[in-house]
Amino acid sequence: MNSLTLLVRPRWIEGESWPGFLLRLSNANELPGISWLASWLEAPVAQLLVERPQEVLARLGYTASDAPAVQYPKQRMQALRAGEKGEQRRARLLMQGRRLQSAVCPCCLSGDQTPYVRAVWERPLEVGCTIHQRQLLRQCTSCGKKLLSTRPRLTECSCGASLLTQSVPALGTAWTSLLHPFGLERRTASDETFQPIPYREVVATAALERIALYERQQEPVKRKRRVSAKLDAADLGLALPWFTSWPASFARRYRAALEAGRGEGEDRRTSYIQAKTLFAPMFPRLNKVVRAVAKELNYRPRTCLQLGVQDYLACASQSVASAAKLLGVTYPRALWMAKQGVLAGSTQVSTYEMQIPTEAVLDVMARLSAAEDWRVAAKRRGCKDRAIKQLLRIGLIECIPLGDKGECRVDPDSWDAFVDYIVSVAQPLPGGRTSFFTLDAVIGASQRPTPDPERTARIVQAIACGTLPVYARPSNPDRIDDLLITPEELKMTAPRHV
Ligand SMILES: [Zn+2]
Ligand SMILES: [Zn+2]
């Protein structure tokens, strides 16, 4: 690169874009655009744009060069020539996009004492001016051409039309809510001076375009020609509702997208919107929401969302997921039931997959439909949760276990028969005695310090045989908590330490 001492050397303005500054510099020296400056320096325009600002400024006769030390990813630019692939190609695209695209806010420019291009205006997600709440101008309204950094004059399109007087549609500021989820907060003007477009923002734009594409559904995939091109207004309108009340709005729509899948009618596939298509791992905030939704969906019946009950029952055996769907329980619960033998005849296929006979599922389905939740059953007949757990442990009452913690569904007939029998053997409360325990407290306490089904069984057996008398407080007892036991008689039947 040549050296060149310019006659007029304007100072950069805080927040100014590098191509914008070079354009302003050219104009101040009566040069029609960056390409002329580049030819005087005997360097390609692309090099001028990706070179470090400090070096270029030194070539142009700036002495005490305290220009912002901006580092362009120049290494990657050179490395990609040989065998370019993936990341490198993207870096090159990024630089190419940077070379040409430009956007301005006509209102800001016409209000400037010295019109200059803000660095943030070149960012792919910067679609509007937050001060004037209007879209940024990207296309000359007079000739329809795209605005490029290589135009001859900063405030004019190459067709000669002034950019200062062109009108752009109003936009508001809602679009700024797109920045936070992608971790793209804007810094102060001085920190933005000469900054290039971050790769992360280019990817964020691609993710937003994919969301917009998903919202459109029917249209064919439209590829971006230039990576630094801005999100267009239509895409913005479609993607924005995902971010307006972050993160709830995003989580809701993302979940719906995953569940709905792709395609029409019977032909359903996995959703177009996925963690990988949104590049979620690159954006910590976005990734957090995406992972939370995925985790939540994992605990639901999967793979079988589109098939009907008939389709399952036609098979001889079921997967855990389909059993969960048929039984109306969660996936881990179905897995537990298969492993514990509640679903008889289940065989292990792999760590998380079982083969469950359809007959076993049907059998449990029938029993479940008639059964009652154990808490509801306990409450209905005046029994504490602790006590009914003990009674269920001794196996007299029919129930379908659903988990390790004692969750189950109880057969109401068997439960009522048991309670009715215990109540029927109760005697009227004798006079003169003052000290009593209620029966459900005694049964509930028999699990302390460790569950002891033996002792519970002894108590129940003694009541049934008449060796442990139970007394009823009202004359017509109906519930377990109506029944009383004396401490002395209890001690004789079921002492704590045998
Ligand atoms: Zn403005
Ligand atoms: Zn024009």
Side-chain angles (χ1 to χ4, degrees), residues 175-223:
W175 62 271
T176 50
S177 64
L178 295 176
L179 301 176
H180 176 78
F182 292 98
L184 295 169
E185 278 82 1
R186 298 296 185 221
R187 296 168 297 176
T188 57
S190 58
D191 288 330
E192 295 284 0
T193 315
F194 296 166
Q195 287 296 326
I197 300 165
Y199 180 53
R200 162 196 284 262
E201 184 156 344
V202 176
V203 180
T205 310
L208 288 168
E209 284 184 329
R210 286 171 175 200
I211 291 176
L213 182 69
Y214 161 77
E215 291 289 349
R216 283 201 189 91
Q217 293 286 345
Q218 306 308 325
E219 289 183 29
V221 180
K222 180 190 68 181
R223 285 214 161 256

Side-chain angles (χ1 to χ4, degrees), residues 242 250-260 293 296-297 300:
W242 286 59
F250 183 86
R252 180 161 41 81
R253 282 165 190 269
Y254 181 67
R255 190 183 301 116
L258 286 187
E259 280 177 344
V293 171
E296 183 190 316
L297 290 183
R300 287 206 209 157

